[in-house]
């Protein structure tokens, strides 16, 4: 049963360090892809230096965010009783999803990943669960996992804190290999030969044949816009490399404890800290003030929108369209 999370649109200040403050009102929740043919509108570009924020208020704390496209975002939220729910954004509204056998069933605080066709996969303490658009169902014979990722329906990964598993879409195989540290907290599979895992003891990369440890020490997040543009969060700083085997540079443009990083392209990478965000445009960091001050922050997005979550608030933004 669909449930629309209360949200409202407000006038948002478009803030930039390089340009003075500008104000605009944007009421659209989504729009066609940049320069889309047949859209009936004039060609435009998306200006990420100016983002319009829609304030979306949640009564639950968001513990996980994952976005495939402007009309496909998943969030794991916790209610006041400590139960976890899976919410899906279709580009217009949020819907609370249910389990197949028991609609009242609550989910674990495990991750969700979705394929291009809309099918999704969620971890749990018992088995991987599958979403085909109506209800979540258990995947018989699958492992119990917390972290989930993939690059295609036949290239799925999931992990417990000490084990890594891979699926060809039919069956699951234990995939623990040298170079994979225990304490896995996240998976990013960009391609069959470009997979990252990270967690309590570092980050490792899979090139399709071998796993290689790339970072030692606890890593909170890894994001990459491509095989040669990789970002990680460690010890409150953001690390960057030009790909596996390359040196990592450490920086902290916020001056605070960076909580997460999200990279959409070589000219559009974001880091978030308490109450603030900064964007890398390919040459410098730009302050992007946020309409929230929560300490715990998550970030996710697509080429057309961005989501940032605090303890009790989830905000949604769009880059401004500029006519060409």
């Amino acid at each position: 049963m669909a449930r629309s999370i209360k949200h409202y649109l407000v006038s948002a200040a478009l803030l930039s360090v390089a340009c003075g403050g500008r104000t605009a009102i944007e009421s659209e929740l989504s729009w066609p892809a940049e320069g889309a043919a047949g859209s009936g509108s004039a060609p435009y570009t998306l200006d990420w230096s100016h983002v319009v924020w829609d304030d979306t208020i949640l009564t639950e704390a968001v513990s996980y965010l994952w976005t495939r496209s402007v009309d496909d975002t998943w969030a794991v939220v916790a209610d006041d009783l400590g139960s976890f729910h899976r919410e899906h954004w279709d580009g217009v509204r949020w819907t609370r999803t249910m389990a197949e056998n028991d609609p009242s069933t609550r989910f674990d605080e495990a991750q969700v990943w979705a394929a291009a066709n809309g099918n999704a996969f969620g971890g749990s303490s018992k088995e991987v669960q599958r979403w085909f658009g109506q209800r979540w169902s258990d995947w018989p014979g699958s492992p119990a996992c917390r972290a989930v990722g993939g690059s295609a329906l036949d290239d799925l990964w999931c992990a417990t804190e000490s084990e890594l598993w891979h699926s060809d879409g039919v069956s699951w195989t234990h995939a623990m290999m040298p170079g994979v540290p225990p304490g896995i907290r996240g998976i990013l599979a960009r391609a069959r030969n470009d997979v990252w895992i990270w967690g309590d003891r570092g980050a490792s990369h899979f090139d399709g044949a071998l796993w290689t440890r790339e970072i030692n020490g606890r890593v909170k997040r890894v994001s990459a816009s491509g095989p040669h543009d990789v970002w990680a969060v460690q010890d409150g700083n953001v690390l960057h490399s030009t790909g596996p085997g390359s040196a990592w540079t450490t920086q902290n443009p916020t001056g605070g404890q960076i909580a997460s990083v999200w990279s959409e392209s070589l000219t559009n990478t974001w880091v978030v800290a308490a109450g603030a965000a900064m964007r890398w445009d390919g040459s410098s960091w730009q302050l992007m003030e946020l309409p929230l001050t929560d300490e715990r922050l998550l970030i996710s997005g697509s080429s057309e929108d961005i989501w940032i979550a605090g303890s009790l608030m989830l905000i949604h933004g769009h880059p401004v369209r500029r006519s060409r």
Side-chain angles (χ1 to χ4, degrees):
M1 179 178 178
R3 181 180 65 85
S4 297
I5 298 178
K6 180 182 177 182
H7 67 278
Y8 57 93
L9 301 177
V10 297
S11 301
L14 305 179
L15 298 174
S16 167
V17 170
C19 304
R22 301 176 60 188
T23 303
I25 297 177
E26 182 71 52
S27 62
E28 294 167 304
L29 294 178
S30 62
W31 50 73
E34 181 175 352
S39 64
S41 60
Y44 61 88
T45 59
L46 299 178
D47 182 1
W48 279 96
S49 295
H50 299 282
V51 175
V52 176
W53 298 102
D54 312 327
D55 283 358
T56 301
I57 306 299
L58 297 179
T59 58
E60 306 94 346
V62 177
S63 64
Y64 178 74
L65 271 174
W66 187 87
T67 299
R68 169 170 290 281
S69 65
V70 71
D71 57 2
D72 190 7
T73 290
W74 286 90
V76 177
V77 301
D79 59 26
D80 294 337
L81 300 177
S83 297
F84 292 96
H85 308 274
R86 293 172 182 166
E87 309 275 357
H88 181 251
W89 172 262
D90 62 6
V92 177
R93 63 181 58 85
W94 285 99
T95 299
R96 173 160 292 179
T97 60
M98 305 296 179
E100 182 176 58
N101 296 329
D102 183 0
S104 65
T105 297
R106 299 297 181 258
F107 301 98
D108 296 336
E109 190 181 10
Q111 299 170 7
V112 176
W113 178 84
N117 68 350
N119 291 355
F121 302 85
S124 79
S125 59
K126 297 180 179 179
E127 294 174 311
V128 173
Q129 296 170 323
R130 295 181 288 192
W131 168 265
F132 299 121
Q134 298 295 326
R135 292 283 193 273
W136 289 96
S137 59
D138 294 336
W139 186 340
S142 62
C145 294
R146 183 184 186 281
V148 179
S151 70
L153 288 171
D154 59 354
D155 183 36
L156 303 171
W157 297 86
C158 80
T160 66
E161 291 192 6
S162 59
E163 295 182 324
L164 183 66
W165 296 80
H166 180 262
S167 174
D168 59 4
V170 178
S171 60
W172 287 89
T173 303
H174 188 259
M176 182 60 71
M177 302 175 187
V180 177
I184 300 169
R185 301 295 180 182
I187 301 172
L188 172 64
R190 299 195 65 262
R192 298 176 194 276
N193 62 350
D194 189 9
V195 182
W196 289 88
I197 63 171
W198 64 90
D200 295 344
R201 299 191 184 181
S204 298
H205 180 263
F206 182 59
D207 64 5
L210 298 174
W211 285 97
T212 303
R213 182 82 65 89
E214 294 287 335
I215 305 176
N216 292 311
R218 185 170 185 263
V219 174
K220 291 186 64 176
R221 174 72 174 173
V222 173
S223 184
S225 71
H228 305 296
D229 182 40
V230 187
W231 300 80
V233 174
Q234 184 180 55
D235 297 330
N237 300 311
V238 63
L239 284 63
H240 180 253
S241 84
T242 55
S246 301
W248 292 86
T249 59
T250 302
Q251 51 193 307
N252 191 331
T254 69
Q257 288 289 309
I258 293 175
S260 188
V261 62
W262 168 68
S263 184
E264 184 269 329
S265 71
L266 289 170
T267 59
N268 191 35
T269 296
W270 291 61
V271 294
V272 286
M278 296 194 77
R279 172 181 170 268
W280 175 256
D281 63 9
S283 59
S284 63
W285 288 99
Q286 178 184 36
L287 178 65
M288 308 293 289
E289 190 168 316
L290 303 180
L292 82 167
T293 58
D294 293 338
E295 293 294 328
R296 185 176 54 135
L297 296 169
L298 304 171
I299 184 169
S300 182
S302 72
S303 61
E304 299 175 62
D305 68 341
I306 185 170
W307 296 90
I308 299 178
S311 299
L312 292 174
M313 179 183 286
L314 177 65
I315 61 172
H316 187 214
H318 295 291
V320 172
R321 286 178 290 176
R322 304 292 189 192
S323 297
R324 292 195 293 197

